[in-house]
Amino acid sequence: LAVGDRVRFIEADVAPADESPSTIGSTWTNGQRVSITVVHPGLFTTVQDLGRRGHRGSGVPLSGAADAVAMRLANLLVGNQPDAAGLECTLLGPTLRFERDAIVAVVGGEFPGLPSGRAVSLAAGTEITFGHATAGCRGCLAVAGGIDVEPVLGSRSTLVAAGIGGFAGRALAAGDRLAVGEPTGSPVRVDLRGISVAGARRPCVVRVIPGEHAEACGSIWSRTFRASSRSDRMGLRLDGEPVVAAGDFGGMASVAVFPGTVQLPPDGRPIVLLADAQTVGGYPVAGQVIAADLPLAAQLRPGDEVRMEPVGIDEAVAAVRRREAMLADLAGQRR
């Protein structure tokens, strides 16, 4: 809406929320296409793809998988397009029952229920309990054919804060039933365990392009921080000795922020914005985590140590080019 637009409200007939169906998907026929039943949702499991691009100007966050590279790799393993929707589970994974034969893969965080980094065939009726993550924070589960939910603004990703996308705009709950599309591609027969970001060295080092207020946040580069249990998909909060900003930022104007932006709030404990990052922020900006290292930040567990290393644009671009070359090489191995 623009200034001067006229608005009229009309009464609509809407079913109460508790009467809404627990089966969501664009290809259902009298329930015949139920492919996955959620027996237990785990800690926080959502439907995600690569995000809702092109809407930040309207205040809509990107969303999508917090570790987008893991989702792309998982989709590659099962033969999906890179932007197919899968499930993202956090720390404690779900228990799922596969009602139809399926080819699945988990990449990113490692869970005892399925081997990480390779495609696995499951027979109809198989029930998998993912359990507690043994490495990393978030696992991306891809299913051949992709999770089939209605796109919202061009994406199937879930933005829980706004209640849009994914499965009814929320995290999965026990009893939910998910549709899976028909497989269209060929799985890749490779083992990706060796390149999982969940096994990155500790303390984790993320490269950051210094931002507008980098000089005022100078001591941020010499500190080792710990990932906080207060972190979520909106931002990785860091604990440790507070960083005191050199200057008065109480009246600063809000600026555009993105996934990877490093903010310094008044308490001096940095925040690295993640997939559900807001579109503007009023805190000093120390810098921007380079795209190649953002998956590392997304995989940090509470208590993990992390340091920030300032780098230039050239190094950031080179790192992304190496990553994309690796993904292209893997995509060329489809059988």
Side-chain angles (χ1 to χ4, degrees):
L1 293 176
V3 175
D5 286 350
R6 308 184 101 186
V7 179
R8 184 165 62 91
F9 294 95
I10 62 173
E11 185 176 356
D13 294 326
V14 180
D18 59 359
E19 294 181 16
S20 61
S22 61
T23 301
I24 296 179
S26 60
T27 57
W28 293 102
T29 305
N30 297 322
Q32 296 301 309
R33 291 293 307 283
V34 173
S35 294
I36 301 173
T37 298
V38 180
V39 179
H40 187 280
L43 180 62
F44 190 80
T45 304
T46 55
V47 177
Q48 301 292 345
D49 54 19
L50 296 185
R52 196 165 276 110
R53 299 183 180 276
H55 300 283
R56 295 186 68 79
S58 301
V60 181
L62 175 66
S63 297
D67 182 348
V69 174
M71 186 64 79
R72 291 171 66 183
L73 289 170
N75 276 321
L76 178 69
L77 286 172
V78 301
N80 291 341
Q81 292 299 307
D83 60 351
L87 299 182
E88 178 186 272
C89 46
T90 306
L91 291 176
L92 174 63
T95 296
L96 305 174
R97 183 168 62 250
F98 292 82
E99 311 294 355
R100 305 168 67 203
D101 293 349
I103 299 175
V104 303
V106 175
V107 179
E110 298 178 5
F111 294 79
L114 279 176
S116 177
R118 63 184 179 88
V120 177
S121 297
L122 301 177
T126 300
E127 186 169 295
I128 299 291
T129 297
F130 285 77
H132 292 269
T134 56
C137 178
R138 295 177 171 93
C140 292
L141 171 69
V143 184
I147 302 296
D148 184 14
V149 294
E150 291 289 346
V152 176
L153 296 177
S155 170
R156 292 179 167 85
S157 61
T158 310
L159 178 57
V160 173
I164 63 172
F167 192 98
R170 59 169 173 79
L172 297 183
D176 289 342
R177 297 179 294 165
L178 297 167
V180 173
E182 291 296 333
T184 58
S186 300
V188 173
R189 289 184 172 178
V190 294
D191 191 326
L192 300 180
R193 283 176 292 182
I195 62 172
S196 172
V197 298
R201 63 190 176 96
R202 297 291 185 263
C204 177
V205 177
V206 295
R207 291 166 288 182
V208 179
I209 298 173
E212 180 180 358
H213 309 117
E215 290 188 9
C217 306
S219 63
I220 199 170
W221 313 116
S222 60
R223 305 286 178 83
T224 297
F225 300 97
R226 294 183 308 279
S228 170
S229 60
R230 298 175 295 130
S231 303
D232 55 23
R233 281 180 43 85
M234 188 171 182
L236 169 68
R237 293 179 176 271
L238 301 178
D239 290 332
E241 183 181 352
V243 175
V244 179
D248 181 10
F249 294 94
M252 69 170 283
S254 294
V255 297
V257 295
F258 312 88
T261 297
V262 182
Q263 295 183 305
L264 186 65
D267 67 1
R269 294 177 173 86
I271 301 171
V272 179
L273 298 182
L274 297 179
D276 285 349
Q278 72 277 19
T279 57
V280 294
Y283 296 147
V285 174
Q288 186 76 23
V289 175
I290 69 172
D293 286 359
L294 194 53
L296 297 175
Q299 291 294 353
L300 290 173
R301 302 155 64 97
D304 281 351
E305 293 186 331
V306 59
R307 291 191 296 108
M308 288 179 259
E309 175 184 314
V311 298
I313 294 289
D314 289 345
E315 183 169 344
V317 171
V320 168
R321 285 177 173 167
R322 288 193 296 270
R323 182 188 74 187
E324 293 304 310
M326 177 269 292
L327 289 167
D329 180 64
L330 289 172
Q333 299 183 39
R334 292 185 188 274
R335 67 174 185 267

